[in-house]
Amino acid sequence: MKNLVQHRDETWDHMQVITHRFAYFPELGLPDNGILTLRASTERRHCNHEFNIVTTTNGHVGDHNFSPVCTTSIKGLYANLSQEDVMGQPVLIRQFQNSDFTPYSTGSKDTIMASTNLLWQGRQIVPDGIFFADCCNSDIAMFAAWISHCPFHAYTLLMFYTFTITSGEQLIAEVKKHHPDPQWKTLVKLVLNLYPSKLVILARRYGMPAGSIEDLVVVEKKLLTGLSEAGVRFFALLTMCSGIDPAKIEAEDMLDEEVQRAVFAELAIVKVIEWARTYSRFPNLKIGSGTRAYDISIPQADSIQEFYTYNLKTGDLVPWPALCVL
């Protein structure tokens, strides 16, 4: 299907695949969010592509973390840097060992790009596909307002989370601070990413109970109905699974409270998605799922590989436990 964005008001009976960070492959010199990575992915006939944006003091660039230290070795936060501080910097392919980066890295042929250039060049490479902009925290507000004035909105989906946005009124107020097009709610196509573990955090913020599956279903419905009643329209809901298989946990009452709530949240998300499919305010809602990405360390002397992810804010390495709960 060409340009999925233009088919929002249709019921789909098929599955669509979207690459993650342009389907990066560091071993081949293809870093995440790189334009050359996008080109290589397109040559493999992928046409729908997710990428990450972060906000600087005067615009947006394509990168995953809030700090450029992983991709460029520049220390600090993007929020305190300008586009000019980072644009054109070669994207590094980092390796790590023993909970830290190795002293060497490989320079790719990609560079940090402003989102304008990334989307413009991307459109030339993939004229019939779409782009799926991953916007964390408050970045969604500034990016949504900006793209509402650009032709890019015709082929770009914007994904946001409940890390900091927890109500429809809050989202709309944040977007309005950045002077969007008056028709931005129609022009901008939003995707909400639901993490099971965030249900517990939402319950605390709402002052609602979170001791059962039913409690957590009520919490998520409050979020979704609130967004809808505020006039926020969704293109899709995306769920991120933790990997917990409730069917394999026989004695829930024997689990500690944190793990028990993680199991409840996993089951609650399934129920919420089933409800959202038929909720009258979500016509032709698309449902998706995805996986979390992590990096693998250099093998240790005993041939065991250690797993790490990145701290989103600082770019520091964080051990990735075998049974990580999202």
Side-chain angles (χ1 to χ4, degrees):
M1 179 185 291
K2 296 181 179 181
N3 195 345
L4 304 182
V5 174
Q6 301 302 316
H7 298 273
R8 174 167 65 177
D9 297 323
E10 300 174 11
T11 299
W12 299 356
D13 57 2
H14 55 279
M15 181 181 297
Q16 294 290 328
V17 176
I18 298 174
T19 68
H20 186 206
R21 304 184 208 168
F22 295 159
Y24 61 109
F25 204 144
E27 188 175 355
L28 297 181
L30 301 172
D32 53 341
N33 299 306
I35 202 72
L36 295 180
T37 303
L38 173 63
R39 192 179 300 278
S41 181
T42 303
E43 289 173 355
R44 299 196 300 273
R45 302 184 68 181
H46 295 301
C47 60
N48 303 312
H49 303 275
E50 183 261 6
F51 72 103
N52 303 95
I53 68 101
V54 288
T55 300
T56 67
T57 58
N58 61 343
H60 323 91
V61 297
D63 201 359
H64 182 265
N65 299 332
F66 294 136
S67 168
V69 68
C70 294
T71 46
T72 67
S73 292
I74 295 175
K75 296 182 179 179
L77 297 176
Y78 274 114
N80 299 325
L81 298 168
S82 69
Q83 284 185 323
E84 292 72 24
D85 290 328
V86 293
M87 284 193 310
Q89 290 289 328
V91 177
L92 303 177
I93 296 175
R94 308 296 295 270
Q95 293 179 315
F96 50 87
Q97 188 174 28
N98 298 328
S99 300
D100 202 356
F101 293 109
T102 57
Y104 54 86
S105 60
T106 303
S108 73
K109 295 181 179 180
D110 268 310
T111 61
I112 297 293
M113 299 179 65
S115 54
T116 301
N117 293 336
L118 196 60
L119 285 167
W120 186 86
Q121 289 191 39
R123 188 61 169 173
Q124 312 311 306
I125 297 169
V126 198
D128 294 325
I130 66 159
F131 293 94
F132 197 102
D134 187 336
C135 310
C136 287
N137 289 347
S138 57
D139 287 348
I140 180 62
M142 185 180 293
F143 197 70
W146 171 79
I147 206 169
S148 71
H149 296 288
C150 303
F152 304 133
H153 68 71
Y155 53 87
T156 305
L157 301 174
L158 273 63
M159 181 167 68
F160 71 105
Y161 304 79
T162 57
F163 298 145
T164 57
I165 301 295
T166 58
S167 73
E169 291 81 2
Q170 180 193 5
L171 175 61
I172 290 172
E174 291 296 322
V175 174
K176 285 184 176 180
K177 289 179 182 178
H178 303 286
H179 312 293
D181 184 282
Q183 301 301 316
W184 75 269
K185 293 179 188 177
T186 300
L187 296 173
V188 178
K189 288 75 175 179
L190 295 172
V191 176
L192 177 59
N193 192 325
L194 303 173
Y195 278 60
S197 61
K198 296 305 173 188
L199 288 179
V200 178
I201 297 173
L202 278 175
R204 296 191 188 117
R205 290 176 178 172
Y206 292 160
M208 298 173 66
S212 68
I213 297 169
E214 290 71 23
D215 286 342
L216 295 173
V217 169
V218 172
V219 169
E220 191 64 56
K221 284 184 177 181
K222 175 179 174 64
L223 170 69
L224 294 177
T225 55
L227 285 163
S228 176
E229 290 168 359
V232 176
R233 184 180 179 188
F234 295 122
F235 183 94
L237 294 180
L238 182 69
T239 61
M240 300 295 286
C241 300
S242 65
I244 294 175
D245 184 354
K248 295 181 179 179
I249 300 177
E250 297 179 356
E252 292 180 357
D253 58 342
M254 299 296 290
L255 301 175
D256 65 56
E257 185 176 352
E258 181 181 4
V259 176
Q260 187 180 70
R261 284 183 173 177
V263 174
F264 289 165
E266 195 83 5
L267 293 172
I269 283 289
V270 174
K271 290 181 176 291
V272 169
I273 291 299
E274 290 173 348
W275 164 81
R277 286 181 183 276
T278 58
Y279 182 50
S280 60
R281 288 180 176 267
F282 296 158
N284 298 308
L285 182 71
K286 316 304 184 261
I287 303 297
S289 187
T291 59
R292 288 289 300 273
Y294 50 78
D295 291 292
I296 303 174
S297 78
I298 300 170
Q300 305 302 302
D302 55 7
S303 297
I304 294 177
Q305 288 183 312
E306 296 176 344
F307 293 78
Y308 298 91
T309 187
Y310 294 110
N311 181 303
L312 189 63
K313 293 183 179 180
T314 66
D316 295 331
L317 291 175
V318 179
W320 182 281
L323 293 176
C324 181
V325 176
L326 300 182

